[in-house]
């Protein structure tokens, strides 16, 4: 853009703050706006996995078997309301059209370049002074019987085929790494080469770093329209700028659609809570059959799960928490599932084709960064780095080229 510019980033989650940090690295003056606060959305309550080997397309051929059944099962990990919602059904039609092996491979090929950059981008933030840790696994992957592992092994093999590294070995003594798993888990694997974080504290630290470098972070700032030279708040206040970035997660479409971004962004809501464990949790645990992703979190154990297709602002539905608890009771021991804390629902921004939306819009100096689905945390820093490069130099890094928001 030539010299210091005033850039407004709308959204204070992982993606928005990482973009702000990298814009600062390039010498720009940044203001971050959010209607609620730092890490107030999907960046807070997720599992915090930095697992590129599992950063894969959400839509795969198994949906044709699992999806219809899930509509009739109150405890299923996939959930959606049976009501008249034309936008939701239009999204689902396109989402299911991607549930083929050929589409999965095409999307995986497009995700792999940024997957390969993901962990290094976290290291760059650490070297730049972001005071928060990332921790190595291993990840424990558990199944009640060996036949259940076929789908997971196929996904990992697909990621490896496209260039990922995913060291995976059978695990004989499951309880040595995951003492909260009961004897119901008879087949397990150890996945190395991945990391995890405590997502809320991490994003808060990133926000502090951005503020300490001179950015203004305004919360309770609801943005109603974005332009190449200004952002307008619900109060009527107009904030002038030289460029603007829309990074509002599941709410991205409302602000981005006037700028030619037509790809649907649907809220894929995830739920989580934390529990005490009889023995300290030290490693992430994944139970693919039950769609549960678990992580040590501030001395407790965070259990996250479900993909609920609803509107992003709908309230938390206790029945979805109960569904996760019902599944956890089948496979966990020494876990106090009746004394839950931090019950949470967050809206993850899912696109029909499984690719994020990162880049220029049709409006000069208006950019978007979102649509990462379940992978906004792991891909956020790399996304911010490459989008900042585009804004600053006009050059599109190959890792984000497939994510053209005008596709």
């Amino acid at each position: 853009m030539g010299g210091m510019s005033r850039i407004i980033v709308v959204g204070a989650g992982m993606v928005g703050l990482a973009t702000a940090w990298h814009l600062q690295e390039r010498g720009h003056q940044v203001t971050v706006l959010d209607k609620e606060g730092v890490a107030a959305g999907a960046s807070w309550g997720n599992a915090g996995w930095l697992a590129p080997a599992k950063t894969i397309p959400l839509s795969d051929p198994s949906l044709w078997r699992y999806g219809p059944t899930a509509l009739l099962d109150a405890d299923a990990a996939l959930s959606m309301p049976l009501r008249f919602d034309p936008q939701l059904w239009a999204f689902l039609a396109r989402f299911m059209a991607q549930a083929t092996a050929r589409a999965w491979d095409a999307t995986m090929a497009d995700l792999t370049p940024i997957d390969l950059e993901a962990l290094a981008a976290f290291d760059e933030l650490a070297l730049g002074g972001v005071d928060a840790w990332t921790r190595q696994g291993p990840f424990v992957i558990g199944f009640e019987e060996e036949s259940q592992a076929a789908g997971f092994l196929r996904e990992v093999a697909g990621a490896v085929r496209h260039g990922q590294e995913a060291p995976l070995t059978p695990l004989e003594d499951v309880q040595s790494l995951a003492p909260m798993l009961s004897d119901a888990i008879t087949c397990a694997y150890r996945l190395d080469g991945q990391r995890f974080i405590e997502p809320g504290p991490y994003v808060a630290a990133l926000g502090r770093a951005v503020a300490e470098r001179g950015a203004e972070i305004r919360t309770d700032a609801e943005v109603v329209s974005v332009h190449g030279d200004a952002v307008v708040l619900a109060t009527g206040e107009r904030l002038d700028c030289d460029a603007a970035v829309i990074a509002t997660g599941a709410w991205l479409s409302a602000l981005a659609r006037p700028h030619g971004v037509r790809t649907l962004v649907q809220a894929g809501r995830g739920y989580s809570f934390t529990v005490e464990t009889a023995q300290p949790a030290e490693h992430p645990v994944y139970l693919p059959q039950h769609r549960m992703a678990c992580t040590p979190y501030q001395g407790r154990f965070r259990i996250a799960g479900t993909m609920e297709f609803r509107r992003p602002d709908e309230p938390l539905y206790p029945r979805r928490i109960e569904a996760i608890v019902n599944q956890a009771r089948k496979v966990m021991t020494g876990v106090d599932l009746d004394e839950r804390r931090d019950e949470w629902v967050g809206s993850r921004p899912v696109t029909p084709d499984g690719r994020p939306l990162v880049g220029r819009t049709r409006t000069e100096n208006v950019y978007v960064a979102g649509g990462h689905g379940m992978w906004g945390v792991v891909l956020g820093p790399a996304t911010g780095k490459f989008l900042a490069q585009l804004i600053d130099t006009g050059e599109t890094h190959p890792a984000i080229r497939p994510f053209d928001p005008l596709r």
Side-chain angles (χ1 to χ4, degrees), residues 162-187:
H162 283 278
Q164 294 270 15
E165 291 187 7
L168 189 69
T169 53
L171 186 59
E172 298 296 334
D173 185 2
V174 180
Q175 282 73 27
S176 65
L177 294 179
M180 71 291 300
L181 294 182
S182 72
D183 292 339
I185 299 299
T186 64
C187 173

Side-chain angles (χ1 to χ4, degrees), residues 10-22:
V10 186
M14 177 69 92
V15 174
L17 289 171
T19 303
W21 192 91
H22 280 286

Side-chain angles (χ1 to χ4, degrees), residues 14 42 60 79 110 152 268 324 377:
M14 177 69 92
D60 67 69
S79 173
D110 287 343
F152 170 78
I324 299 174
V377 166

Side-chain angles (χ1 to χ4, degrees), residues 134-320:
T134 70
R135 189 167 297 163
Q136 294 283 346
F139 284 51
V140 177
I141 322 298
F143 305 91
E144 291 157 282
E145 54 188 66
E146 189 173 352
S147 63
Q148 295 174 351
F152 170 78
L153 295 176
R154 183 173 58 251
E155 290 173 350
V156 172
V160 171
R161 186 173 67 251
H162 283 278
Q164 294 270 15
E165 291 187 7
L168 189 69
T169 53
L171 186 59
E172 298 296 334
D173 185 2
V174 180
Q175 282 73 27
S176 65
L177 294 179
M180 71 291 300
L181 294 182
S182 72
D183 292 339
I185 299 299
T186 64
C187 173
Y189 293 86
R190 170 182 175 140
L191 177 63
D192 287 289
Q194 321 300 306
R195 306 185 203 172
F196 66 97
I197 59 173
E198 293 179 344
Y202 188 98
V203 178
L206 178 56
R208 287 194 300 272
V210 168
E212 288 166 0
R213 299 165 106 200
E216 180 183 12
I217 299 180
R218 293 182 56 177
T219 57
D220 297 323
E222 183 178 357
V223 175
V224 295
S225 64
V226 175
H227 312 274
D229 60 354
V231 166
V232 180
L233 305 184
T235 60
E237 182 180 3
R238 177 185 171 94
L239 304 176
D240 293 333
C241 62
D242 297 304
V245 178
I246 303 169
T248 51
W251 294 266
L252 185 142
S253 290
L255 293 176
R257 191 176 294 113
H259 305 288
V261 180
R262 302 301 182 191
T263 299
L264 291 172
V265 177
Q266 169 64 42
R269 301 179 355 140
Y271 285 75
S272 71
F273 52 84
T274 65
V275 294
E276 289 279 0
T277 56
Q279 297 184 54
E282 298 182 3
H283 306 292
V285 172
Y286 182 37
L287 300 165
Q289 187 71 12
H290 303 288
R291 306 299 202 275
M292 284 192 291
C294 312
T295 317
Y297 185 82
Q298 298 189 324
R300 292 170 66 83
F301 193 51
R302 172 171 280 174
I303 302 176
T306 80
M307 175 62 76
E308 181 188 56
F309 289 130
R310 288 183 180 269
R311 299 186 186 100
D313 290 314
E314 291 191 44
L316 180 150
Y317 286 87
R319 186 67 187 86
R320 302 308 303 153

